[in-house]
Protein backbone atom coordinates (compact mmCIF):
# COMPACT_ATOMS: atom_id res chain seq x y z
CA UNK A 1 0.00 0.00 0.00
CA UNK A 2 1.49 3.41 -0.89
CA UNK A 3 2.15 5.88 1.91
CA UNK A 4 -0.43 8.62 2.20
CA UNK A 5 0.83 11.96 3.57
CA UNK A 6 -1.53 14.46 5.20
CA UNK A 7 -0.14 17.88 4.27
CA UNK A 8 -2.23 19.53 7.01
CA UNK A 9 -0.42 17.73 9.85
CA UNK A 10 1.08 20.02 12.47
CA UNK A 11 4.71 19.42 11.51
CA UNK A 12 3.95 20.20 7.85
CA UNK A 13 2.45 23.46 9.10
CA UNK A 14 5.56 24.16 11.18
CA UNK A 15 7.72 23.53 8.10
CA UNK A 16 5.59 25.98 6.08
CA UNK A 17 6.06 28.60 8.81
CA UNK A 18 2.33 28.62 9.70
CA UNK A 19 3.00 27.63 13.32
CA UNK A 20 5.97 28.82 15.41
CA UNK A 21 8.55 26.45 16.83
CA UNK A 22 11.57 26.66 19.11
CA UNK A 23 14.25 25.70 16.61
CA UNK A 24 17.39 23.98 17.84
CA UNK A 25 18.97 23.34 14.42
CA UNK A 26 17.98 23.73 10.78
CA UNK A 27 19.86 22.22 7.85
CA UNK A 28 19.12 21.78 4.14
CA UNK A 29 16.80 18.80 4.68
CA UNK A 30 16.13 18.69 8.42
CA UNK A 31 14.58 20.72 11.25
CA UNK A 32 15.08 20.08 14.98
CA UNK A 33 12.92 21.86 17.56
CA UNK A 34 11.81 21.55 21.18
CA UNK A 35 8.78 19.37 21.87
CA UNK A 36 5.84 21.47 23.09
CA UNK A 37 5.03 18.97 25.88
CA UNK A 38 8.47 17.81 27.06
CA UNK A 39 8.64 14.35 28.64
CA UNK A 40 12.18 14.91 29.96
CA UNK A 41 14.45 17.89 30.73
CA UNK A 42 15.67 17.60 27.12
CA UNK A 43 13.02 16.68 24.55
CA UNK A 44 13.81 17.61 20.97
CA UNK A 45 12.07 16.45 17.80
CA UNK A 46 14.07 15.96 14.62
CA UNK A 47 12.06 15.94 11.38
CA UNK A 48 12.93 15.71 7.72
CA UNK A 49 11.68 18.60 5.59
CA UNK A 50 10.36 16.10 3.03
CA UNK A 51 6.86 14.61 3.20
CA UNK A 52 7.45 11.27 4.93
CA UNK A 53 4.99 9.64 7.32
CA UNK A 54 7.12 7.18 9.29
CA UNK A 55 10.66 5.88 9.75
CA UNK A 56 10.11 3.08 7.23
CA UNK A 57 8.67 5.53 4.67
CA UNK A 58 11.66 7.84 5.10
CA UNK A 59 14.20 5.01 4.96
CA UNK A 60 12.58 3.53 1.85
CA UNK A 61 11.95 6.65 -0.21
CA UNK A 62 14.17 9.54 0.93
CA UNK A 63 17.34 10.29 -1.02
CA UNK A 64 20.74 9.33 0.39
CA UNK A 65 21.40 13.05 0.85
CA UNK A 66 18.25 13.53 2.95
CA UNK A 67 18.96 10.43 5.04
CA UNK A 68 22.54 11.47 5.73
CA UNK A 69 21.54 15.05 6.49
CA UNK A 70 18.83 13.87 8.92
CA UNK A 71 21.13 11.61 10.92
CA UNK A 72 24.02 14.07 10.96
CA UNK A 73 21.63 16.80 12.14
CA UNK A 74 20.28 14.55 14.92
CA UNK A 75 23.84 13.78 16.02
CA UNK A 76 24.71 17.48 15.93
CA UNK A 77 21.71 18.20 18.19
CA UNK A 78 23.07 15.66 20.69
CA UNK A 79 26.43 17.44 20.62
CA UNK A 80 24.84 20.90 20.89
CA UNK A 81 22.80 19.84 23.92
CA UNK A 82 25.88 18.28 25.52
CA UNK A 83 24.35 14.82 25.84
CA UNK A 84 26.71 13.02 23.45
CA UNK A 85 29.37 12.29 24.19
CA UNK A 86 28.30 12.59 27.82
CA UNK A 87 25.40 11.50 29.95
CA UNK A 88 23.50 9.95 27.07
CA UNK A 89 20.01 10.04 25.68
CA UNK A 90 17.17 7.97 24.25
CA UNK A 91 15.76 8.21 20.74
CA UNK A 92 12.23 7.05 19.95
CA UNK A 93 10.22 7.02 16.75
CA UNK A 94 6.54 6.11 16.96
CA UNK A 95 4.80 4.79 13.83
CA UNK A 96 1.15 4.10 13.15
CA UNK A 97 -1.61 3.13 15.54
CA UNK A 98 0.29 0.48 17.53
CA UNK A 99 3.22 2.87 17.84
CA UNK A 100 0.79 5.52 19.16
CA UNK A 101 2.02 8.05 16.58
CA UNK A 102 0.15 11.35 17.05
CA UNK A 103 1.67 13.42 14.27
CA UNK A 104 1.84 11.68 10.88
CA UNK A 105 5.13 13.24 9.77
CA UNK A 106 8.25 11.20 10.52
CA UNK A 107 10.08 12.42 13.61
CA UNK A 108 12.75 11.25 15.99
CA UNK A 109 12.33 12.11 19.66
CA UNK A 110 15.61 12.85 21.47
CA UNK A 111 15.09 12.55 25.22
CA UNK A 112 17.74 13.27 27.85
CA UNK A 113 18.61 15.03 31.08
CA UNK A 114 17.51 12.26 33.45
CA UNK A 115 17.70 8.48 33.72
CA UNK A 116 15.04 7.26 31.33
CA UNK A 117 14.17 4.07 33.19
CA UNK A 118 12.64 1.00 31.55
CA UNK A 119 12.23 1.14 27.79
CA UNK A 120 8.43 0.80 27.91
CA UNK A 121 6.02 2.00 30.59
CA UNK A 122 3.61 -0.62 31.90
P1 LIG B 1 4.26 11.18 18.43
O1 LIG B 1 3.28 10.70 19.45
O2 LIG B 1 5.49 10.34 18.34
O3 LIG B 1 3.60 11.43 17.09
O4 LIG B 1 4.79 12.57 19.00
C1 LIG B 1 4.31 13.81 18.60
C2 LIG B 1 4.98 14.84 19.47
O5 LIG B 1 4.76 16.12 18.91
C3 LIG B 1 4.43 14.90 20.91
O6 LIG B 1 5.51 14.66 21.82
C4 LIG B 1 3.89 16.33 21.02
O7 LIG B 1 4.09 16.90 22.30
C5 LIG B 1 4.65 17.05 19.94
N1 LIG B 1 4.01 18.23 19.39
C6 LIG B 1 2.74 18.35 18.96
N2 LIG B 1 2.52 19.60 18.49
C7 LIG B 1 3.69 20.27 18.62
C8 LIG B 1 4.11 21.60 18.30
N3 LIG B 1 3.29 22.49 17.77
N4 LIG B 1 5.39 21.94 18.57
C9 LIG B 1 6.24 21.05 19.13
N5 LIG B 1 5.91 19.78 19.43
C10 LIG B 1 4.64 19.40 19.19
Amino acid sequence: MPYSYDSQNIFARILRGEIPNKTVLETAHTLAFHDIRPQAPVHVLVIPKGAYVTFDHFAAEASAEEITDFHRAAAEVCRMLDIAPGSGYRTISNAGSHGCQEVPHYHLHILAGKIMGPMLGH
Side-chain angles (χ1 to χ4, degrees), residues 8-61:
Q8 290 310 311
N9 80 74
I10 201 138
F11 293 170
R13 297 184 64 200
I14 285 175
L15 287 167
R16 289 196 295 268
E18 295 167 9
I19 294 177
N21 74 91
K22 288 191 181 169
T23 299
V24 177
L25 178 67
E26 181 169 9
T27 65
H29 299 289
T30 307
L31 180 68
F33 54 93
H34 291 284
D35 195 292
I36 206 166
R37 290 190 300 273
Q39 310 275 325
V42 172
H43 189 171
V44 172
L45 301 171
V46 185
I47 68 172
K49 292 184 177 177
Y52 304 102
V53 183
T54 55
F55 160 76
D56 52 286
H57 185 198
F58 181 67
E61 296 190 6

Side-chain angles (χ1 to χ4, degrees), residues 15-120:
L15 287 167
R16 289 196 295 268
E18 295 167 9
I19 294 177
N21 74 91
K22 288 191 181 169
T23 299
V24 177
L25 178 67
E26 181 169 9
T27 65
H29 299 289
T30 307
L31 180 68
F33 54 93
H34 291 284
D35 195 292
I36 206 166
R37 290 190 300 273
Q39 310 275 325
V42 172
H43 189 171
V44 172
L45 301 171
V46 185
I47 68 172
K49 292 184 177 177
Y52 304 102
V53 183
T54 55
F55 160 76
D56 52 286
H57 185 198
F58 181 67
E61 296 190 6
S63 66
E65 196 181 335
E66 288 174 290
I67 291 170
T68 300
D69 184 273
F70 180 86
H71 290 93
R72 293 265 160 83
E76 178 62 17
V77 166
C78 292
R79 278 191 292 273
M80 288 169 70
L81 298 175
D82 228 10
I83 54 177
S87 50
Y89 57 91
R90 178 172 290 168
T91 57
I92 297 175
S93 180
N94 299 316
S97 57
H98 282 194
C100 301
Q101 182 178 12
E102 282 174 36
V103 180
H105 180 111
Y106 173 48
H107 51 282
L108 194 66
H109 297 258
I110 299 177
L111 297 145
K114 66 171 189 178
I115 295 172
M116 290 301 144
M119 192 156 57
L120 296 177

